[in-house]
Amino acid sequence: MQHKQIRVHFINSRRPHYFYSPPFTTTVHRCGAARRPPPFTFHYPHSNFLRGVNMFNLTKLEHTLRLEPHLLTLPLNEAIKGELERLFVDKIIAKLGLCISVYDIESIDGGFIFPNEGAPTYTVKFRLIIFRPFVGEIISARLKESNADGLRLSLGFFEDIYIPELLMPEPSEAEPDPENKGQVKWTWLFNDEKYLIDGVDEIRFRVQNIKFPEIPREQKDPKPFAPMEIIVSS
């Protein structure tokens, strides 16, 4: 199993709020080939699930955290897992992807109380389940919205998936949507028939690129900032 170590910062994925953390060390483990998209609710009884889904990775991290005094009444493992979930779950880790869940905790060291701190500090090695499909992977999603620039798709837990106009199936055309101002309805022309692209059926797409945009100093674009975007073709 190939992996590499990098230093990263993480960003909150709940737009438009975001922040940086101190750097930590990670190791990325790519799982097996994908056969079908995952359900919108997540259950991870064992690692066999991850072996069949390539859009999810196990990522090993080492992080130093301070455990607040009110958490010391809990079992140590439970208290630290709760803090890790608060810090990482549902957040974008730059250059890695969206954190879905804390998979397990491998080790906990330390517990020292430094001067003027009043709370113990631990160094924790743990693994996260990270959502980041690979380029070329085929996934299914549903239509979120459409406009003249193309389509925006949703997996239920992640909604920054875009099919730009240039990557739409050919031939396709867009018509104004009378029910939604500012949106259009895309149709695909096949064998002289029009097939409406709507939110009823799933859309299978191929991942073309994954972008982690730089955080803007000023939010000039009315579109909310997305720390991770997936560009796909249908």
Side-chain angles (χ1 to χ4, degrees):
M1 179 180 297
Q2 296 182 348
H3 56 82
K4 60 181 180 179
Q5 290 194 342
I6 59 177
R7 295 183 71 81
V8 301
H9 299 279
F10 69 86
I11 310 169
N12 195 335
S13 66
R14 294 182 177 176
R15 302 177 303 173
H17 307 291
Y18 44 86
F19 58 90
Y20 283 108
S21 77
F24 48 81
T25 302
T26 75
T27 304
V28 183
H29 299 271
R30 178 69 71 176
C31 302
R35 296 185 177 180
R36 63 176 67 130
F40 292 164
T41 55
F42 294 91
H43 302 281
Y44 302 106
H46 46 68
S47 60
N48 288 337
F49 173 84
L50 292 174
R51 291 171 185 165
V53 184
N54 222 347
M55 73 181 80
F56 296 101
N57 306 311
L58 278 180
T59 302
K60 184 177 179 180
L61 291 84
E62 181 178 322
H63 188 61
T64 300
L65 58 84
R66 180 174 177 269
L67 205 58
E68 296 296 333
H70 71 274
L71 298 174
L72 299 179
T73 58
L74 299 173
L76 181 59
N77 198 75
E78 179 181 337
I80 287 182
K81 184 177 181 180
E83 281 296 283
L84 293 175
E85 290 175 343
R86 182 183 66 83
L87 287 171
F88 293 98
V89 172
D90 196 31
K91 297 179 177 67
I92 300 294
I93 302 177
K95 308 304 180 184
L96 286 182
L98 172 65
C99 176
I100 299 298
S101 175
V102 176
Y103 186 75
D104 60 12
I105 296 175
E106 294 188 348
S107 66
I108 301 173
D109 296 316
F112 303 107
I113 300 178
F114 296 100
N116 301 322
E117 285 290 330
T121 298
Y122 295 90
T123 299
V124 187
K125 293 182 180 179
F126 58 99
R127 291 188 293 176
L128 296 176
I129 296 173
I130 298 292
F131 166 72
R132 180 182 176 176
F134 66 90
V135 173
E137 184 169 5
I138 297 176
I139 310 174
S140 296
R142 293 190 182 276
L143 180 67
K144 176 69 175 178
E145 60 181 341
S146 59
N147 54 38
D149 296 326
L151 305 179
R152 180 184 176 191
L153 308 180
S154 171
L155 288 170
F157 63 93
F158 185 80
E159 298 182 343
D160 289 309
I161 303 172
Y162 300 94
I163 304 179
E165 179 183 6
L166 293 176
L167 296 179
M168 292 288 293
E170 296 183 0
S172 296
E173 62 181 24
E175 301 175 352
D177 186 351
E179 299 178 358
N180 298 291
K181 185 178 179 180
Q183 295 196 25
V184 302
K185 288 185 176 180
W186 282 89
T187 56
W188 175 40
L189 306 179
F190 182 73
N191 289 340
D192 297 326
E193 292 190 30
K194 288 187 175 182
Y195 295 90
L196 179 64
I197 302 175
D198 55 22
V200 176
D201 298 320
E202 288 190 338
I203 299 174
R204 291 177 63 82
F205 60 85
R206 184 185 300 274
V207 177
Q208 299 292 332
N209 187 25
I210 300 176
K211 300 192 299 183
F212 294 89
E214 294 291 334
I215 297 177
R217 294 185 177 182
E218 297 182 7
Q219 187 68 37
K220 298 180 180 180
D221 192 338
K223 174 186 171 183
F225 172 74
M228 181 173 78
E229 295 181 354
I230 300 178
I231 308 302
V232 302
S233 61
S234 61

